[in-house]
C-alpha cells in the first residue's frame, strides 16, 4: 500500500490523498492533509491543512478529536551524567520556552525512577519567551544515581512549547 498527500486543485496546500492498494489502482480522497503517517496498527493519521488538528482516516471517512483536548507529555531518559556509580545532587533545572495563552505546563522531576515531584509553569502571560528556574527543595527529589524529568500539559487541551532544558548537578564525593 502506498499513501501520499498532494495538491491537485489548490496552489496553497494539499487537497487530495492518494491511496494505491490491493486493487492495483490509485484511489483519490478529497482530504486536506499535510503529513500522513501509517501506524503499526494500520491506522492512518494526518495533519489537517485547514485547522491544524490531527485526524484519523478510516474507510474514506475521518475521525477527529471532536474538539476535545488531548493530554500530552514528554519524559526524558534517565540521566547518570557520565558517572554510573555514586549519587549526583541536582542543583537546579532551567526551563526555557514560549508563553501560551490560557495554558499551563507541569514540570515533574525525580530520581532513581521513583515518584516525581511537580511544579506548575504558568505560561499565560504576555507573548514571548520565558526562562524559569526550578530548585528542588528536598533531597528526596534532588539526590540520586539517576535523574529524570517530564513535561506535560496541566489540563487536557493546554499547549506548551519548550525550547530547552538545562540541568546543573554536583557529583557527590565517594568515601
Amino acid at each position: 500500500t502506498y499513501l501520499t498527500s498532494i495538491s491537485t486543485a489548490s496552489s496553497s496546500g494539499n487537497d487530495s490523498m492518494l491511496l494505491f492498494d490491493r486493487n492495483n489502482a490509485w484511489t483519490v480522497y478529497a482530504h486536506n492533509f499535510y503529513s500522513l503517517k501509517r501506524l503499526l496498527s494500520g491506522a492512518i493519521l494526518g495533519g489537517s491543512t485547514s485547522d491544524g488538528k490531527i485526524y484519523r482516516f478510516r474507510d474514506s471517512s475521518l475521525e477527529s478529536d471532536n474538539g476535545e483536548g488531548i493530554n500530552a507529555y514528554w519524559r526524558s531518559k534517565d540521566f547518570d551524567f557520565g558517572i554510573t556509580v555514586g549519587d549526583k545532587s541536582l542543583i537546579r533545572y532551567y526551563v526555557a520556552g514560549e508563553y501560551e495563552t490560557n495554558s499551563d505546563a507541569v514540570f515533574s522531576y525525580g530520581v532513581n525512577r521513583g515518584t516525581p515531584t511537580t511544579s506548575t509553569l504558568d505560561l499565560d502571560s504576555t507573548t514571548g519567551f520565558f526562562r524559569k528556574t526550578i530548585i528542588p527543595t528536598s533531597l528526596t527529589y534532588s539526590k540520586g544515581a539517576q535523574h529524570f524529568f517530564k513535561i506535560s500539559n496541566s489540563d487536557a487541551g493546554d499547549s506548551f512549547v519548550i525550547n530547552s532544558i538545562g540541568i546543573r548537578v554536583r557529583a557527590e564525593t565517594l568515601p
Side-chain angles (χ1 to χ4, degrees):
T1 301
Y2 296 98
L3 183 67
T4 187
S5 186
I6 65 168
S7 175
T8 59
S10 170
S11 61
S12 60
N14 296 338
D15 56 25
S16 299
M17 184 173 78
L18 300 176
L19 178 68
F20 187 86
D21 58 13
R22 293 182 199 117
N23 64 3
N24 289 328
W26 288 100
T27 305
V28 180
Y29 297 100
H31 293 305
N32 302 344
F33 285 137
Y34 273 122
S35 299
L36 296 170
K37 173 71 176 169
R38 181 181 293 271
L39 303 178
L40 290 176
S41 66
I44 300 169
L45 301 180
S48 169
T49 60
S50 58
D51 62 14
K53 294 182 179 180
I54 296 175
Y55 289 89
R56 180 177 179 187
F57 177 82
R58 184 188 300 173
D59 301 326
S60 77
S61 64
L62 292 176
E63 294 179 357
S64 75
D65 57 11
N66 284 333
E68 296 296 319
I70 298 171
N71 287 317
Y73 71 90
W74 183 84
R75 186 192 184 282
S76 74
K77 67 176 190 172
D78 291 324
F79 294 102
D80 66 7
F81 306 104
I83 306 167
T84 55
V85 178
D87 285 339
K88 280 72 67 183
S89 289
L90 182 83
I91 308 301
R92 65 181 48 96
Y93 284 100
Y94 300 101
V95 182
E98 300 175 29
Y99 286 114
E100 296 286 327
T101 305
N102 298 321
S103 291
D104 294 327
V106 175
F107 186 83
S108 306
Y109 56 94
V111 297
N112 304 331
R113 298 185 183 187
T115 304
T117 188
T118 61
S119 177
T120 300
L121 305 175
D122 180 12
L123 305 181
D124 190 17
S125 186
T126 59
T127 58
F129 297 93
F130 69 82
R131 181 177 176 187
K132 298 187 184 281
T133 302
I134 299 168
I135 301 172
T137 57
S138 163
L139 284 178
T140 305
Y141 301 109
S142 66
K143 186 175 181 178
Q146 296 179 329
H147 295 264
F148 69 91
F149 63 88
K150 176 181 168 183
I151 300 281
S152 58
N153 51 357
S154 181
D155 293 315
D158 278 0
S159 59
F160 57 89
V161 175
I162 303 297
N163 296 327
S164 67
I165 296 176
I167 305 170
R168 185 170 176 204
V169 295
R170 180 181 61 238
E172 300 293 321
T173 1
L174 295 173

